[in-house]
Amino acid sequence: MARSQNEIYASVMHDIGSPLTAVSVMLQMVTMDLEATRGGAPAAVKEQLSRVNQQVGRCMEISRRYLNYARERSMQKQTVRLNQALADVRELLRAHPSGRRHQLDVQLMPADLTIRMHGTDLIQVLLNLITNAFQSSSTPLRVEVAGVYHDDPLAPADLLDQPQRFLANREVFANEPPLVALRVSDTGPGIPENLLPRIFESYFTTKTPGEGTGLGLVIVRRLVSQVKGGLQVESKPDEGTTFTVLLPVEVG
Ligand SMILES: Nc1ncnc2c1ncn2[C@@H]1O[C@H](COP(=O)(O)OP(=O)(O)OP(=O)(O)O)[C@@H](O)[C@H]1O
Ligand SMILES: [Mg+2]
């Protein structure tokens, strides 16, 4: 755990950023609404609002500062031990509120592989995919994370796009072995065929305003593309969804 605690903090800080921004925007709106009401807000309320605003600002500053610090530290380290990252993600999500009603099964790999990616980024990718799965259903579902090692490039047939499956970053995926295919699968409601091509668009979300920004998958695709990895999605309505992240394995 200790090894990548820094990375975990960084992704937690990152994820805390969006609700904090939402709180700050809502505060501004409340303040403006109060100004607009006749007679304005009572002085005491104004004073309290301004204090809340200051504290939110401080939280945002702390999270920004920590992210920069973690980013600088991780600059030197371009690789991550996969099993360590998987164990950390499992540990981290044990306490995640949206995971309480669901079952998460993270399987470690038999061999201790090293991935050519920043640890923070890998954790960020997995957290986004797993929380998306958790949030896809209010009834309990099973989310499984498991890896498969590939000594050879993936077969073209496995990368072909179909109505219910496509490779989201074909233009950058190197398909150079050795690779590991990390699958995040859920038994949730799935994604309708007509929406599937849109899920990687910025701000595309099916969540109610305030619940989702529609940026999670955009970030996932960017982080995976940075290491020339591949990102594939396959979904069947009423059966579930599987995201497969194809990542370069460090040799030797
Ligand atoms: N496992 C999944 N099952 C069903 N639908 C999914 C799944 N993963 C993603 N989606 C769909 O893709 C959309 C976009 O996901 P994305 O992570 O980019 O944004 P979001 O989850 O809506 O918001 P944010 O990630 O900012 O909280 C979701 O709103 C949802 O409709
Ligand atoms: Mg999301």
Side-chain angles (χ1 to χ4, degrees), residues 76-200:
Q76 299 117 29
K77 194 139 182 62
Q78 306 279 350
T79 59
V80 60
R81 303 272 282 274
L82 178 55
N83 276 347
Q84 182 67 55
L86 289 172
D88 288 347
V89 164
R90 180 162 59 187
E91 197 53 40
L92 192 63
L93 283 171
R94 216 184 279 280
H96 195 280
S98 65
R100 257 175 230 145
R101 57 184 176 272
H102 303 303
Q103 187 195 334
L104 176 66
D105 179 11
V106 181
Q107 292 172 17
L108 301 192
M109 302 281 295
D112 191 11
L113 303 176
T114 299
I115 305 292
R116 279 196 272 123
M117 185 181 208
H118 286 303
T120 328
D121 292 350
L122 178 57
I123 287 175
Q124 183 76 33
V125 164
L126 291 171
L127 285 181
N128 267 300
L129 295 178
I130 297 167
T131 47
N132 272 351
F134 282 167
Q135 290 163 353
S136 74
S137 166
S138 51
T139 53
L141 51 79
R142 211 176 101 84
V143 181
E144 189 183 281
V145 182
V148 177
Y149 178 77
H150 289 269
D151 237 340
D152 296 310
L154 271 92
D158 293 333
L159 301 175
L160 268 185
D161 287 349
Q162 297 166 355
Q164 291 174 329
R165 182 186 85 183
F166 77 100
L167 186 63
N169 63 341
R170 184 175 302 281
E171 64 295 347
V172 294
F173 174 44
N175 199 9
E176 280 163 11
L179 291 162
V180 71
L182 281 179
R183 291 163 60 86
V184 179
S185 359
D186 65 61
T187 54
I191 303 167
E193 231 174 75
N194 63 324
L195 296 187
L196 199 59
R198 301 196 52 201
I199 58 170
F200 294 99

